[in-house]
Amino acid sequence: MEEVTLKSRAVVFALCVGVVAFILALLATSHGVIDRATITIALIPAIVCGAMSWASAERALSSTAAAIDLAIARLADAAEGDLDSPIPPEIADRVPQLASAMTSLFRQFDSDIEGIRRTARVDLVTGLPNRGHFREAAEAALAAPDMPGAALFFIDLDRFKAVNDTLGHARGDMLLAAVAGRLRVVAEEAVAASAATPLIGRLAGDEFTLLLPGIRETMAAARVGRSIQRALAEPFAIDGTAVEVGGSVGIALAPQHGATLGELMRAADLAMYQAKAEGRGRVAHFTDTIAAAVAERARLDEELRRALARDEFTLVFQPQIGARDGAVVAVEALLRWQHPEDGPRLPATFIRRAEESGMIVEIGDWVIARVAETLARWGADGTGQRLAVNISQRELDHALFFRRLHHGMRAAHAPAALLELEISESLAMRCSREVLDALALLRGDGATISIDNFGTGYSNLARLRELPIDRIKLDRSVIEHIATRAEARTIAHAVISLVHGLGCEAVAEGIESDAQANVLRVIGCDVLQGYAVAPPMDEPTLITWARGQRQRLAV
Ligand code: C2E
Ligand code: MG
């Protein structure tokens, strides 16, 4: 009878062990431990089962049954997470093999759990705390009651992408590990005189952070910043290759620039962007000027959103005339903002920010709708004037740009043949094959494509030849001195010959004097645009001006 009870308990026990093993294995797998540890975790309960079966067969004693009951209870506790309580001594007394199997099971799992914890907190490439761990530790350090103030450094490598692209990801990882090593040295040196513990983290990619408690003066932080900069500017020996990357460093101080880690990270990040904007390999401190620039950007974003909603934008029109006959050949649409407090604002005061924030896509939609509506009217009333519109990179990069343009033109019944798109030289050099194909299609529909501000970018002649373009607009800087300097004239002449060689029309913009216009006529420029011809004007003024121009030419 006792033997039967014992055997049935053995079955229950074996089942329990199986369930516990299953739970443990599931836990391990979900934490990414799927290999040796999982197998060990599965094997040890099997040994336990074997020992149990042996015990049940060999020792049909009630004390053994009691020990096994204790083992079941202890395993149930382990399944609840208790790996620390001792294994009851009765188990070792009655079934020593079972006790030792349980001990080694708990020990193994305990070390696996520790491994899992470590893996979840450490960046495997550099061995540094990862973003989550760094945050946790830095928040705790900043919240400490005896916190003496601290400096937070935001570090971004300058040419890491190029290293990854040219030397491959494995060497990129080696470089990151070497960078971490140098940052550790700088951090240890920085706090050597104090009892503070530096905290270094890898946030993502090539971004690192360093929190130095006790460094609260700008000068002291600047010294550390320069040490970081010097450490990263030295070439790294990666797999036998000397690699130069350099780093940009942004610094924020606690409590001056923020009491919480979130505030400090934002401030140091902004300072780091300032360092990059100043030319990389630099150190920048978070300052009131940066704070003011950020607030100004936020204000401008908000005002631009309001401007769209309240219809504060308008277009003005600047004519282009044939260099030989003076006839109006096209008109360029230029954006203006009727600011409720500041009055009329030029694109220079807002276009760049709109491009950065992406708001240019919505503003561009408004411009296209206005241009399409104007073209439809000009098509219908016989004005028949071609209208050029400026398109920026963010607009062109938008996947739906061409579809929206087609839709806008079709919805307004605007003739495509009267539309001209102006894209800058640098954009023309960079844009994708899909964009080139879409431009070619548009051109096939009768639209004109021109390259704007030619002479300000780095043109590739082979690329220029394959672009689907009709006109090239010489930047104002190319023609600025042609009336007074022979070399400027020679260069402008050569550029115009190049434009003609590409089978395009040469347009000069920014002409401010008759003398410039005369030189341009002599050196073969086809079309003239600038204050010396006519300034940008509103639509009724343009219509009147164009009528006057026709009359002037007729006499
Ligand atoms: P852009 O396309 O090169 O336009 C020519 C700029 O030169 C215009 O400035 C025009 O007013 C100005 N200009 C014309 N004649 C003369 C002259 O004789 N001398 C001088 N110094 N300047 C002259 P604006 O209107 O301030 O536009 C500046 C830039 O803003 C444009 O340069 C264009 O890149 C951008 N932009 C204007 N409207 C739009 C738009 O609707 N969408 C986009 N994405 N960009 C626009
Ligand atoms: Mg333009």
Side-chain angles (χ1 to χ4, degrees):
M1 179 63 197
E2 195 174 275
E3 189 170 341
V4 170
T5 309
L6 183 58
K7 280 189 176 155
S8 65
R9 281 180 178 171
V11 171
V12 171
F13 176 73
L15 278 174
C16 281
V17 170
V19 168
V20 170
F22 182 59
I23 291 168
L24 297 182
L26 262 187
L27 264 175
T29 310
S30 72
H31 282 84
V33 179
I34 49 164
D35 39 30
R36 192 183 58 78
T38 310
I39 293 165
T40 316
I41 288 164
L43 273 179
I44 291 176
I47 297 167
V48 174
C49 288
M52 175 58 222
S53 305
W54 175 83
S56 67
E58 293 296 315
R59 301 192 182 190
L61 297 168
S62 61
S63 54
T64 307
I68 289 167
D69 281 346
L70 285 170
I72 291 170
R74 181 67 194 87
L75 280 169
D77 288 348
E80 294 288 313
D82 176 10
L83 295 170
D84 300 326
S85 304
I87 290 169
E90 294 86 335
I91 304 174
D93 286 350
R94 303 307 312 165
V95 201
Q97 294 89 339
L98 176 56
S100 86
M102 285 172 72
T103 307
S104 97
L105 167 67
F106 290 175
R107 201 175 297 135
Q108 177 67 49
F109 195 69
D110 207 20
S111 94
D112 286 341
I113 289 272
E114 190 42 42
I116 290 163
R117 279 203 194 105
R118 255 201 324 274
T119 311
R121 293 156 66 82
V122 167
D123 164 47
L124 292 176
V125 174
T126 59
L128 292 176
N130 61 16
R131 176 186 280 271
H133 185 191
F134 176 83
R135 283 199 86 97
E136 225 173 79
E139 269 162 9
L142 289 169
D146 55 348
M147 166 69 189
L152 182 78
F153 301 78
F154 219 96
I155 303 140
D156 190 278
L157 301 185
D158 287 334
R159 283 173 294 275
F160 179 66
K161 189 176 175 321
V163 174
N164 242 354
D165 290 350
T166 52
L167 298 181
H169 288 256
R171 291 201 181 101
D173 284 356
M174 287 174 167
L175 174 67
L176 291 172
V179 165
R182 289 194 189 174
L183 291 179
R184 277 194 196 98
V185 173
V186 173
E188 293 297 341
E189 277 173 10
V191 295
S194 69
T197 312
L199 269 173
I200 316 178
R202 178 174 170 225
L203 295 189
D206 59 352
E207 284 177 7
F208 296 84
T209 40
L210 167 59
L211 182 78
L212 294 182
I215 306 261
R216 31 167 198 223
E217 306 296 337
T218 307
M219 298 288 277
R223 267 197 299 279
V224 179
R226 281 196 300 275
S227 301
I228 296 174
Q229 180 198 15
R230 273 198 302 274
L232 300 183
E234 284 289 311
F236 290 83
I238 302 297
D239 220 4
T241 310
V243 177
E244 292 188 30
V245 273
S248 301
V249 184
I251 307 176
L253 297 175
Q256 299 94 303
H257 303 139
T260 66
L261 182 70
E263 288 165 353
L264 280 177
M265 296 253 279
R266 247 189 316 281
D269 190 26
L270 289 168
M272 193 273 292
Y273 273 99
Q274 178 73 21
K276 282 231 186 269
E278 283 171 7
R280 294 163 186 263
R282 286 171 193 259
V283 179
H285 293 258
F286 184 74
T287 58
D288 291 347
T289 318
I290 295 179
V294 171
E296 174 55 29
R297 282 205 291 274
R299 197 170 63 88
L300 184 54
D301 289 351
E302 185 48 41
E303 284 188 345
L304 282 172
R305 249 188 299 278
R306 263 209 320 254
L308 266 174
R310 295 182 187 171
D311 210 14
E312 290 170 4
F313 291 114
T314 54
L315 288 182
V316 289
F317 304 90
Q318 186 174 34
Q320 301 170 352
I321 59 167
R324 259 158 245 300
D325 59 10
V328 181
V329 290
V331 173
E332 179 173 4
L334 294 161
L335 190 61
R336 294 290 179 269
W337 178 9
Q338 295 301 330
H339 192 279
E341 285 112 44
D342 307 348
R345 279 178 64 164
L346 291 172
T349 67
F350 62 88
I351 282 277
R352 195 159 154 213
R353 179 60 202 155
E355 282 169 353
E356 282 168 5
S357 69
M359 190 100 66
I360 192 70
V361 173
E362 281 146 279
I363 296 176
D365 279 350
W366 179 91
V367 172
I368 299 267
R370 244 332 239 114
V371 162
E373 176 255 313
T374 308
L375 280 179
R377 263 189 297 109
W378 288 2
D381 70 10
T383 307
Q385 206 64 76
R386 194 169 68 222
L387 189 51
V389 56
N390 292 280
I391 306 295
S392 32
Q393 165 135 25
R394 282 294 279 267
E395 294 176 73
L396 215 51
D397 283 348
H398 199 277
L400 298 178
F401 172 77
F402 286 100
R403 200 182 301 166
R404 292 223 288 255
L405 176 65
H406 281 295
H407 180 262
M409 292 288 285
R410 217 172 317 118
H413 302 291
L418 293 185
L419 177 70
E420 177 172 333
L421 289 195
E422 290 191 10
I423 58 172
S424 72
E425 180 185 11
S426 38
L427 174 51
M429 290 302 124
R430 273 198 310 263
C431 61
S432 64
R433 173 54 46 200
E434 292 78 57
V435 167
L436 291 186
D437 291 347
L439 287 173
L441 267 179
L442 203 62
R443 198 162 166 249
D445 287 345
T448 304
I449 311 293
S450 49
I451 294 194
D452 207 358
N453 313 114
F454 189 78
T456 55
Y458 299 97
S459 270
N460 168 333
L461 291 182
R463 167 100 180 177
L464 262 182
R465 224 178 24 231
E466 62 162 22
L467 288 175
I469 49 171
D470 306 276
R471 319 171 94 199
I472 293 184
K473 297 183 74 177
L474 276 55
D475 190 69
R476 192 166 81 87
S477 56
V478 177
I479 60 127
E480 199 174 358
H481 301 293
I482 49 170
T484 50
R485 294 191 199 157
E487 78 277 10
R489 208 159 33 239
T490 308
I491 292 170
H493 194 178
V495 175
I496 289 169
S497 302
L498 170 74
V499 172
H500 288 158
L502 291 165
C504 295
E505 200 173 42
V507 183
E509 60 180 345
I511 305 166
E512 293 182 345
S513 70
D514 289 343
Q516 287 172 323
N518 287 336
V519 173
L520 284 163
R521 282 189 191 95
V522 171
I523 61 178
C525 186
D526 305 295
V527 177
L528 310 179
Q529 177 183 353
Y531 298 158
V533 175
M537 358 180 193
D538 62 25
E539 193 180 342
T541 314
L542 172 83
I543 302 294
T544 311
W545 181 90
R547 201 177 302 126
Q549 180 73 353
R550 275 195 296 277
Q551 283 161 2
R552 280 189 290 278
L553 294 174
V555 291

